[in-house]
Amino acid sequence: MQRELNSMVLTSPSTKVQHFLVVEDEQGKRTIPLMDSTCSIGRDLSNSIVIHSPSSSRQHALLMRVTMPDTDSHMFRLIDGNLQGKRSKNGLTVNGQACTSHDLKHGDEVIFGHDVRARYYMTNNISDVHYLESCASEDVTGFLSNLHNPMQTLTTADEMLTSSNEAAIVRLASFPELFSNPIIEVNLTGRITYLNPAAQAQFPKLRDEQSKHPILTGLVALICNDNDKFFVREVEIGNQVFEQSVHFIAESDLIRSYIVDITERKLTEAALQDSERRFRAIFNQTFQFSGLLKPDGTLLEANQTALDFGGLQLEDVIDRPVWLARWWTTSTDTQKRLKAAVLEAARGQFIRYEVAVLGARDVVATIDFSLKPVRDDNGDVVLLIFEGRDISDRKQVEAALQQAHSELEVRVQQRTAELKQSNEQLRSEIVERQRAEAALQSSVATNRALINAMPDWMFRFSADGIFVNYKDAPNTTLPLPTEEFLGKPLDQVFPQDTATSLMNCIKNALGSHEMQLFEYELDHDGNPLMFEARIAVSAENEVMAVIRDITERKRYEDDIRTALNKERELNELKSRFVAMTSHEFRTPLATILSSAELLEHYGHKWDDTRKLKHLNQIQQSVEHMTGLLNDVLLLGKAESGNLAFKPIPMQLTEFCKGLAEELQITTKTHEIVCRLQDQPAETRMDEKLLRHIFTNLLSNAIKYSPQGGTVDFDLVFEDNYAIFNVQDHGLGIPQSECDRVFNSFNRASNVGNISGTGLGLAIVKRSVDLHGGEISLTSQEKVGTTFTVQLPINQRVEQDG
C-alpha cells in the first residue's frame, strides 16, 4: 500500500512540524509520534519510549525537546544516559558514529546498544501525519524513504542555532523544559520569545494575548523605567496569586520571568494575622494589668487596660526595663524594689506584693502585683508573666474600717468612764452604744458585700483539714469533685495527691503566718481544669483559701512555651541548611562561573571538542546542584507526610543484584560483594523507596572507604522479614555520634574533606519507616560501619486500593 508522493500537498512553512521515530527491535517495527515534551528511552517499562532488547539499559537515553530561539518551532536533542548523568551500558551511535549527545536531523539513523535501530523524521504535511498514525508497520518503509523534509523549505536547525547569540545558546543548555514552574521570556517590544511547557499549561491564553495578559502587563515598562536588572512582584489573576521573579538579560535584550503560585502561602499569612488578632483580643481581656517580660526585665508585651490606665502607647514602654516605665511612682525605693523582684523571679521564684502605680493625669492607684516565671523543657526561666489587680477601693475600705474601729473603741472607753461618774448619763450612753453597734453592723455588711463581689471561690478550713464554710463564685464551676463536702476532711473530697498537698499548705500557713500558693488539676466532665489556691490564716487554727480557675492562663503559657520551642528548632534547622547549601553549592557554582567566563572570552578561538568539555563541566555542576535540591525536596515530602508509599510485587534478589551492578560501574577501587539469598515467597515493597535506601547506603560505603576495598551487601529472609546488611571497611563513625546519624543535615566529625549534605541517611530512615521496618548500625572508627535494615516482605497498605 505505497502512497504516491506526487499527490502530497505541501503546507505553508507556518504549519506545525510533526516529529516521528521509527523503531525496530525484538517486537518488530513501529512508528512513534514524538510529543512536545522531553521523554526517556530504555528497557524499563517506566520509560516514555520502551525498547525491547537485552543490550539496552533500563534508562538508556533521553530525547530532550529544545525550543528554537525566537520561534514557535522546536527540535530534539538525543543524550546518552538518564537524568542523573549515568551513561547507558552499551552506548548509542548516530549515522554510524558513537556519540553521547546529538541534535537530531531529518533522516538520522540511531542504534541503541547493539541491535535496536531507529530513524528520525519530520514533516509539516498533515496528510503524512494521518497516514503514519493509521497504516501498518510493513507499509511504512517505502513511504518514509521518500518523506519530505520540512526543514529544507524552512531555516535549518544548524542555521538557526548558528544565528542565535551566545545568551540563547546558554538558555538551550539550561534544560528549562524540565522545570515544573512556568518560565516566560519576552523581548523589549513585549513579544513572547519563549514559553516552557509549564507556562503553556498554567496560562493557556498567554501566547494569544501576549503583553496584554495579566502576568505580562507593565513588565517591559518596569524594566525600561528602572535600572534594576532584577525585581520580584506579586500578580493576582482571579482567585490565584503568583510571585513573579523578573530578570533582564542585557546581553540578548530579553526579559525572563520565573513564576511561582503563592496562593496557599497568602492564605496561610492571612490565617496567621487573624490568629494574632484573636490572641491580642484575648490578651487584652486578661486581668486589669498584664504583660510579658524577658528574664532581664525587658518589657515584651502589655495589655491595653494597662496602657490605657497609664495613658501610654505600646512603643512608649516596649523593649525597656519594666521598672523604668511611667506606671511606677518616681520613688527610687519603688524602682529598686521592682528591679529586685524581677531578678528574684528570673531565678524561678513567684513574687507578689502591693505597689503604687501612676496613671494618666497623675492618678495614683494601688495594685496587687505578681510575677510568675515560665520555664522551658530544661527548667530554665525564659519568660516572666506580670499580673495586677487594682485594689485601691479595697484599701480605702480597709482604712475606713480600721478608722471606724479605732473611733468606736475610744467612744466606748469614754462612755464607760461617764457611766461610772453619773447614772444620769446611762441612758444616753446606751443609745450611743446602740448607734455604734449599728455602724459596726453596717461596716460588716459592707465588708460582706465586697467579699461576695469577688469572682473567686473562698473556703474556710480548720487546722486538721475539715471544710468549715465556703463562698461560691457566680457563673463559675465548683472547683471540687464532690458536691456535699462541708464537714468532711480534704482526703474524702479531693484526690489523695491533691489533698496531701493542700494539707501541707494549711500547716505551712498556720506555722509561718505567710500566704501559701498551690496549683492543682481536677477532671470536670472529661476535661482537665487547673486551679490556683491562695491560702492564708484567717483565725486561730483556721485558714481561708481563695481558689481561682487558671485553666485558660495555663493554656496560654503552654502555647507560648510551644511557640518558643518551635522557633528554636526552626532556627537550628535553618542554620544547618544555610551552612550545608553555602558549602555544597560553592564548588559547582565556581565551576559554572569559571567555564562560562572561559567560553565567553576564548570560545571563538576553541574547537568544538574544547567547548564541549566546558559545557559538560557546566552540565555536571548543574546536575550535582539539582541532585542536592532533589534530596532537600524529597526530605521535605517525607517530613510533611507527602512521600507516597506504593508497594508492588517484585523480585527482591534480582533488584539487589541489579542495583549492585549499577553502583559497581561507578568505582574502580572498590568491589561490591553480594551474598543474596533466593526469594522464598512473594515480596511486596516500594521499589522507588528501596532504591533511595540502598543507593544511599552503598554509595556511602564506597565514599567513606577512601582506601578502597570490599563493600559487603547481604540479604537473608527470616519469617516474614527481609534482612539486609551493608558493611564497609572505611572511616567508621565516632561512637558518641551514632545516635545522630539519621538527623537532617548531620555529618560525622571525622569525614574531613569528603563532600556530602547530611541528607542521605535522613531520607533512608524515613523510607524505612514508610515500609514499617527498622534500621540500625554498628560502627568503629578506622574499622568500618555496618547498617542493618529489616523490612516486612509482603507489606499491604490502604493506599494499594
Side-chain angles (χ1 to χ4, degrees), residues 560-573:
I560 292 172
R561 188 180 298 109
T562 301
L564 290 173
N565 291 336
K566 186 65 176 178
E567 181 180 1
R568 182 171 61 253
E569 292 174 1
L570 290 175
N571 286 335
E572 292 175 357
L573 184 61

Side-chain angles (χ1 to χ4, degrees), residues 678-710:
D678 290 337
Q679 183 173 310
E682 181 188 41
T683 297
R684 291 174 59 85
M685 294 186 184
D686 189 315
E687 182 175 351
K688 186 175 181 181
L689 295 181
L690 285 183
R691 185 169 292 275
H692 286 315
I693 294 171
F694 295 109
T695 298
N696 273 293
L697 293 179
L698 291 171
S699 298
N700 282 354
I702 293 171
K703 179 165 61 174
Y704 296 114
S705 304
Q707 302 302 322
T710 61

Side-chain angles (χ1 to χ4, degrees), residues 148-169:
H148 171 70
N149 178 9
M151 300 306 286
Q152 292 176 351
T153 60
L154 302 173
T155 304
T156 66
D158 286 342
E159 291 173 347
M160 296 185 73
L161 288 175
T162 302
S163 64
S164 299
N165 57 31
E166 188 171 356
I169 296 174

Side-chain angles (χ1 to χ4, degrees), residues 59 119 151 173 201 337 405 445 463 524 538 572 580 594 632 667 709 773:
Q59 289 86 31
R119 270 193 187 276
M151 300 306 286
R337 184 182 180 192
H405 283 292
H524 179 70
S538 59
E572 292 175 357
M580 182 278 291
S594 174
V632 173
T667 178

Side-chain angles (χ1 to χ4, degrees), residues 237-341:
I237 303 178
N239 295 327
Q240 292 180 286
V241 183
F242 298 92
E243 181 180 82
Q244 184 179 28
S245 301
V246 182
H247 304 255
F248 176 58
I249 306 172
E251 294 82 356
S252 55
D253 288 338
L254 292 176
I255 303 171
R256 178 179 295 172
S257 297
Y258 300 88
I259 302 168
V260 179
D261 189 341
I262 60 171
T263 306
E264 291 298 326
R265 189 181 77 191
K266 284 293 184 181
L267 293 175
T268 301
E269 291 175 355
L272 288 175
Q273 293 174 358
D274 184 61
S275 177
E276 174 66 20
R277 287 193 295 270
R278 289 199 301 270
F279 167 77
R280 174 63 57 187
I282 295 172
F283 180 72
N284 285 335
Q285 297 300 319
T286 57
F287 291 89
Q288 294 178 350
F289 298 86
S290 64
L292 305 176
L293 308 176
K294 291 182 181 179
D296 62 0
T298 302
L299 187 69
L300 295 174
E301 190 63 82
N303 71 342
Q304 195 60 43
T305 302
L307 295 173
D308 292 344
F309 176 83
L312 302 171
Q313 299 295 325
L314 187 59
E315 55 267 23
D316 297 334
V317 294
I318 201 73
D319 295 330
R320 296 186 60 197
V322 68
W323 53 83
L324 298 181
R326 187 184 177 277
W327 287 307
W328 323 113
T329 61
T330 55
S331 169
T332 304
D333 291 339
T334 300
Q335 293 181 352
K336 288 182 178 180
R337 184 182 180 192
L338 183 59
K339 183 175 181 180

Side-chain angles (χ1 to χ4, degrees), residues 600-646:
E600 178 183 4
H601 297 294
Y602 303 104
H604 63 283
K605 299 180 181 180
W606 290 349
D607 57 18
D608 291 342
T609 301
R610 194 166 184 182
K611 292 179 182 177
L612 183 59
K613 174 185 176 182
H614 287 280
L615 287 174
N616 286 338
Q617 288 179 344
I618 293 175
Q619 179 180 345
Q620 291 169 3
S621 298
V622 171
E623 290 173 351
H624 175 65
M625 295 169 66
T626 301
L628 294 178
L629 291 175
N630 286 339
D631 283 347
V632 173
L633 292 175
L634 181 63
L635 185 61
K637 282 186 178 181
E639 294 286 2
S640 63
N642 293 327
L643 186 59
F645 174 54
K646 299 179 179 179

